[in-house]
Amino acid sequence: MMNKLSKWMQKKDGSVEENDKQADNIPQHVAIIMDGNGRWARRKGLPRVAGHRAGMKTVIEITRAADEKGVKVLTLYAFSTENWKRPLEEVDFLMRLPGQFLASELDELMDRNVQVRMVGSEENLPSFTVEAVRRAQERTANNTGLILNFALNYGSRTEIVKAIQDIAGKVADGAFSVSDIDESMIHDHLETKNLPDPDLLIRTSGELRLSNFMLWQLAYSELWFTDVYWPDFSQEHFNEAIAAYQQRSRRYGALT
Ligand code: IPE
Ligand code: IPE
Ligand code: MG
């Protein structure tokens, strides 16, 4: 039973305010464009890859934060289809991170009942990356808590092209007609078909763009940007983003 007092929160000055709004209205799906690892490293006079290593620690910290807030899905943009343009050594380093992350954190993810998933194409990924993620997906498949969804070799335009090809193929086969195509059919042909659209998108590092991330799914998401580089992004920053989200009025074009 809910403790009646938990509806109230004591502020620093001793006054008490109703806490309902903060307890409720937690975004179900939070998506994060984890950006700024390279600049974080450069600022410290370190190689870019040191920023990626530091960013890996932020991943577990923010997974814990999301779990503790009661978020249902946390999608983390880890590698875009455009990131192949980077130097080979950096790409290689990035491809090894999922395996390292999962080797050190999978036990905690199991304890937290977290289910690991991935969106993005396995094609072109090294086999050690694919296998590490697959093993984690298999081991956590029956977990029922937070869904930790890695966007790895993910690009929204590629995803949309594939969806159109699938749908067009089915029309050509006579499975359905052009006039049957609607928003829900498109949703069902995206890689996120089993997930709700993100309620909140966070991007770190001060860049104000989507960089080919979930263009369809973000149609009505609330956007929150911070100048903080990803390795410095903390549970406090995450909670700040959630609090900002809770103040937003999502109108979806209507009047409220
Ligand atoms: C984000 O940090 C990680 C990936 C894109 C893989 P960056 O590597 O983009 O860092 P900046 O933007 O160069 O600082
Ligand atoms: C977006 O960051 C991709 C990921 C965070 C994985 P980038 O650093 O690649 O984006 P741009 O190049 O600044 O748009
Ligand atoms: Mg970047």
Side-chain angles (χ1 to χ4, degrees), residues 2 13 77 80 98 108-109 138 145 196 200 213 218 224:
M2 193 178 147
D13 64 3
Y77 200 11
S80 77
E108 176 173 345
L109 297 178
E138 280 162 22
L200 172 63
F213 185 62
L218 293 171
W224 192 84

Side-chain angles (χ1 to χ4, degrees), residues 32-36 39 77-80 82-83 86 151 203 207 209-211:
I32 308 183
I33 302 176
M34 309 184 285
D35 200 9
R39 280 163 285 164
Y77 200 11
F79 191 90
S80 77
E82 287 70 34
N83 288 144
R86 296 188 179 196
R203 183 168 188 154
E207 305 298 352
R209 55 177 170 261
L210 296 179
S211 301

Side-chain angles (χ1 to χ4, degrees), residues 10 37 67 106 132 218-220 231 237:
Q10 188 165 348
N37 294 351
D67 187 29
L106 197 52
L218 293 171
Y220 264 107
H237 297 118

